[in-house]
Every structure is written in C-alpha cells, then in structure tokens.
Amino acid sequence: MRAVRGVGGLLALLLVLGACAPGVPEAAAPGDARPAGPDQLRGVELEYLYFTDGPDEIATRQTIEKFEVATGARVNLQLVAYSDLERTLQARIAAGKAPDVARTQDLNPYRADLLDLRPYLSDQTFPDAFLPDAARAVRGPAGEFLGVPSDLTLNGPFVNLDLFAKAGVPVPERWSWDELVEAAEKVRRVTGKPYAIAMDKSGHRLATMLSQYGTTFFDLDGRPALDVGKATEALKRFAGLHASGAMPTDFWLESGSRYKGANEIFLAQDAAVYLSGNWQVSQLAKASQFRFAAAPNPCAARCGGFPGGKYMVSFKQSKHPAAAAAFIEWMNGAQRQRELVAKAQFLPTRKDLVDPGISYPQRLEDMRIFLAEAKLVPAEAYTSNSSPAFARTANALRDEIARVLGGQSTPEEAARTVRQVSERAYAEVSGR
C-alpha cells in the first residue's frame, strides 16, 4: 500500500476518550466496550459491505486507503448491487455473519441488529455533529446512536439547456409547477420532442410532488399525516401530464411494480425536463451529448425537494465492534466527509460543512442548486423518509398512480388508498 501524506494526527482522533457531552445520553456499555486503541486497529481486517452510486466508489477507496495508513487496519470493501443489498444483508444477519460495516439507504430492515456506537466513540459529541433532521433516523428510543448519516440526497429537476435555448425559453431562478409545465410544454412544441417532462418511476420521487403540494406521508412525530385533498391535487396534476402526452405513460406502466430510472429518456433528448436527484449529476456529465443544468424545484403550496440519503452502520454480530465504530467515526469526520462528498458529488450531512458549503471540483453550479434546495425542505419530509413505514407507503403510491394512469382508479381514490396503507403500515411497525 502506498504511503499517503497529510494524515498526521488522525490516529490521535481514535485514541481520545471523550466524556459524554451535555444532551448526549451516555451508553450503557456492554462488558468492556470502549473506543478502539492502537492495538485494536493494527492488523485488524474489517468487512465493509458497500453499494455504489457511481463516482463515490473511487473516492471511498481513496479515503479507506488513508484510514489504513493511519491505523494499520485493513478494510475489505465488498461491492454488492443496490438491488441485492437488503437481501444480502438479511441473509448474512440470519446466518450470524453480518459484515463489520455496511452502507445502506434504509436502517429499518436491520434496526434490531444494529450496533449502538456510543460506547465506542472517541468523541462523545460526534453524534451531535450531524444535521438534526438527517440524524433523527439513526437514533434509537433510548438515545442509541445506530449509525451515521454519511451523505444526503435530494430530489430535483434537470433541464436540457440546448433545447430550452432552441425554444427561446429561459430557465428561471424559481418557478411554480404551472410555470415549469408551461416552459416544458413550449420547449416540446418548438423542438418537436415527444415529451415535455420525464420522472423516475419511484414512489420516493413522486413523494417530492406531494410535499410541494403541502403534504407528506408522516408528520414530525412519525404519525400518518397524508392530507387526502392535497395529495389528490398533486396526483391530478401528475395524471393530467400523462393524459396530455407531456409525460410518457407507457414508461410508468410497462415496468410493472419495479423502479425504473428515466435518465435514458433525458439522455436521448426526448424530454427537456428530468425529475430525479443530485446523484445523477456525475452520470449525466459523463453520458450527455448536450448542455444540461440542475434547476430549482417547482413550487406549489411550498418549495423544496424531498430528501434521501445513505448511512454507515455496524452490527451487534461484528467481530470487531470497536474497530468498526472507529472506522465509521473516522470516515465521517469533517475533513473526510468534505473530501468524499466533493469527489462523489453528494451533499454533506455535517452541520459544520453545510453553511460554508463544499468546493465541488466539477459541476459546482449544479451542486449549489441542490445545496440551496436542501435548505427549503420541510422538516416532516425527513421524518417521513426515515419512517419504518415509508417504503411500503411509497410503493403503494407508485402502484396506485399506475392504476390511475391505466384507467383503473382516480387520483382521489389513489390518495385515499395511500393514506390507508400508511396507517396500516404505521400500526404494524409501531406494534399497534
């Protein structure tokens, strides 16, 4: 392994035994649980189960290499396809062979098996370093710290600048849903493209539209909160865009109940507006044969996108819990997160990185759009996304709108059904 300079003092971070900070509950440490010392790191090999969004893999490997040089530990990065992640983790947990660390987009399927990191942290203020809304998902009922929100994603639109310019349509600094549709439809008419707007087939992506129309699946306390009237209004708009041909109906219907990205429609220049999220920036930059840009989310009752994100977690089954916690803490220190999110073009989760911002080496203006949009996200969007009942409810939204587009239901019926699903899912996960 080649030497990496600039890591002086990093090992010291792992050796500090910090007292519990005010407001951070002290963990009841099992046995002799404590932060890892040099001997617990040197020569240890950690398994890190990882799925990649693309450009993050190289950045992650580079950061891991620095950790290995600083500590003498080894990290075996095990790649798994995103579609196989939950099944792989569940199988390994069931077999008693959970990895030491994993990257996941959802903690809820494994929550009972996650390691409380608090007794192993060298800095007991570390859990307070993250945005409260993003960190809420990793807190247990007794204050457990079950993982780290390692990066933030945000849904939002991209526009084909060449098509907008050809049609003589400016991209505004802020627009309403009416204005976005009017602009996209004008571009479609002038350029002769088949569609105006494309959106990933995803309940999560469609939840963005619900939030903009003033409602989310769950409230700040995690209870069912979908306003059927507001949801109906949003779904009427969505259905109307398909009925008019502004959005591709076949795209939504032909893939059954599976997720499907609409990036190919955008890359083929068949639609001038693409509703997706910041993880697409690097992929579009590599694959597009035209000028594109991130654009502000459209506003209805309110503005802003809808959040998602990834987490680094460890498991109670880990053979090296102290080393695993040290690795998670190190990877999510301010300097490492600054470097990693800049290279991977993610959004930061640390409070000390949000206000000063990140100096992205590529597509800086696009990332600034997403950073600005993140400040407009309503707090209940975070609690909704992190709810154990979110996935089931979002899938119901995806399936019910498909029934609407297929002529088997109405927007109001779909909204009512989704509300009922959210209530049943909430009751099940909360034991009621």
Side-chain angles (χ1 to χ4, degrees):
M1 188 71 67
R2 66 180 179 84
V4 177
R5 301 187 183 278
V7 295
L10 295 176
L11 183 57
L13 168 66
L14 304 172
L15 308 180
V16 178
L17 294 174
C20 286
V24 180
E26 185 171 3
D32 61 350
R34 59 174 63 91
D39 292 341
Q40 291 173 285
L41 293 169
R42 192 179 302 113
V44 167
E45 181 168 329
L46 297 172
E47 292 185 347
Y48 183 14
L49 192 69
Y50 190 89
F51 73 93
T52 177
D53 295 308
D56 55 284
E57 181 186 344
I58 294 176
T60 296
R61 289 187 183 278
Q62 291 172 342
T63 309
I64 286 174
E65 185 178 338
K66 293 181 181 181
F67 174 79
E68 292 176 332
V69 171
T71 64
R74 294 292 300 247
V75 178
N76 178 12
L77 190 67
Q78 302 175 342
L79 295 181
V80 62
Y82 171 76
S83 58
D84 296 331
L85 175 67
E86 183 175 340
R87 182 171 63 252
T88 300
L89 272 175
Q90 294 282 33
R92 291 191 60 171
I93 291 169
K97 297 180 179 179
D100 297 295
V101 181
R103 181 186 193 230
T104 179
Q105 89 293 354
D106 186 3
L107 278 66
N108 295 305
Y110 337 101
R111 186 170 287 271
D113 300 290
L114 297 178
L115 179 72
D116 182 4
L117 300 176
R118 291 176 299 169
Y120 303 100
L121 296 175
S122 65
D123 177 5
Q124 289 294 310
T125 68
F126 180 69
D128 292 328
F130 301 91
L131 296 169
D133 290 328
R136 189 177 287 113
V138 302
R139 284 296 193 178
E144 297 93 340
F145 190 58
L146 301 175
V148 171
S150 53
D151 66 84
L152 178 68
T153 60
L154 194 72
N155 295 348
F158 296 93
V159 296
N160 184 319
L161 294 176
D162 288 347
L163 293 181
F164 267 71
K166 183 176 181 179
V169 177
V171 180
E173 293 184 2
R174 179 64 56 193
W175 47 8
S176 66
W177 260 103
D178 287 342
E179 291 166 337
L180 182 148
V181 171
E182 181 181 358
E185 282 281 44
K186 182 177 179 181
V187 174
R188 176 192 178 198
R189 288 194 306 270
V190 172
T191 61
K193 297 299 180 180
Y195 310 112
I197 302 168
M199 178 193 286
D200 297 331
K201 182 181 177 180
S202 160
H204 184 275
R205 228 68 79 241
L206 195 49
T208 310
M209 198 168 183
L210 297 186
S211 179
Q212 290 158 353
Y213 274 76
T215 188
T216 54
F217 297 150
F218 306 100
D219 63 16
L220 285 172
D221 296 318
R223 297 171 300 197
L226 187 71
D227 185 304
V228 171
K230 293 176 180 178
T232 298
E233 186 181 0
L235 298 184
K236 281 182 178 178
R237 164 76 81 178
F238 189 75
L241 288 168
H242 286 79
S244 70
M247 297 183 74
T249 301
D250 288 347
F251 169 79
W252 199 273
L253 297 180
E254 290 178 351
S255 56
S257 60
R258 300 190 306 275
Y259 165 85
K260 187 175 182 180
N263 52 315
E264 291 184 3
I265 296 174
F266 187 64
L267 288 170
Q269 302 195 65
D270 285 339
V273 177
Y274 174 32
L275 302 175
S276 190
N278 69 283
W279 60 93
Q280 296 283 3
V281 171
S282 292
Q283 307 288 3
L284 293 177
K286 291 180 180 178
S288 65
Q289 301 298 313
F290 53 88
R291 294 181 304 123
F292 75 91
N297 274 286
C299 306
R302 58 191 180 191
C303 303
F306 197 81
K310 312 301 187 301
Y311 306 93
M312 283 186 71
V313 298
S314 185
F315 299 89
K316 296 173 183 176
Q317 295 178 5
S318 170
K319 297 178 182 178
H320 311 288
F327 175 58
I328 292 173
E329 185 176 5
W330 194 90
M331 290 287 285
N332 291 280
Q335 182 59 30
R336 267 76 64 194
Q337 186 173 111
R338 180 186 294 109
E339 293 173 354
L340 199 150
V341 299
K343 293 175 182 176
Q345 291 181 294
F346 290 155
L347 302 176
T349 58
R350 290 185 59 101
K351 291 184 286 189
D352 53 3
L353 298 182
V354 172
D355 287 338
I358 302 293
S359 295
Y360 294 94
Q362 299 177 345
R363 308 294 304 190
L364 177 59
E365 291 306 314
D366 294 327
M367 298 308 297
R368 281 177 174 168
I369 291 288
F370 283 107
L371 286 169
E373 288 294 298
K375 297 178 181 179
L376 302 177
V377 175
E380 59 268 29
Y382 287 96
T383 54
S384 188
N385 180 66
S386 64
S387 168
F390 178 83
R392 181 174 168 186
T393 306
N395 288 342
L397 175 62
R398 176 200 62 204
D399 296 342
E400 287 302 313
I401 197 62
R403 296 184 71 243
V404 173
L405 300 183
Q408 300 170 302
S409 184
T410 67
E412 183 174 3
E413 290 169 345
R416 291 191 183 282
T417 298
V418 172
R419 170 72 196 216
Q420 292 166 1
V421 171
S422 73
E423 291 171 348
R424 290 196 298 269
Y426 172 76
E428 291 175 12
V429 299
S430 57
R432 300 184 180 183

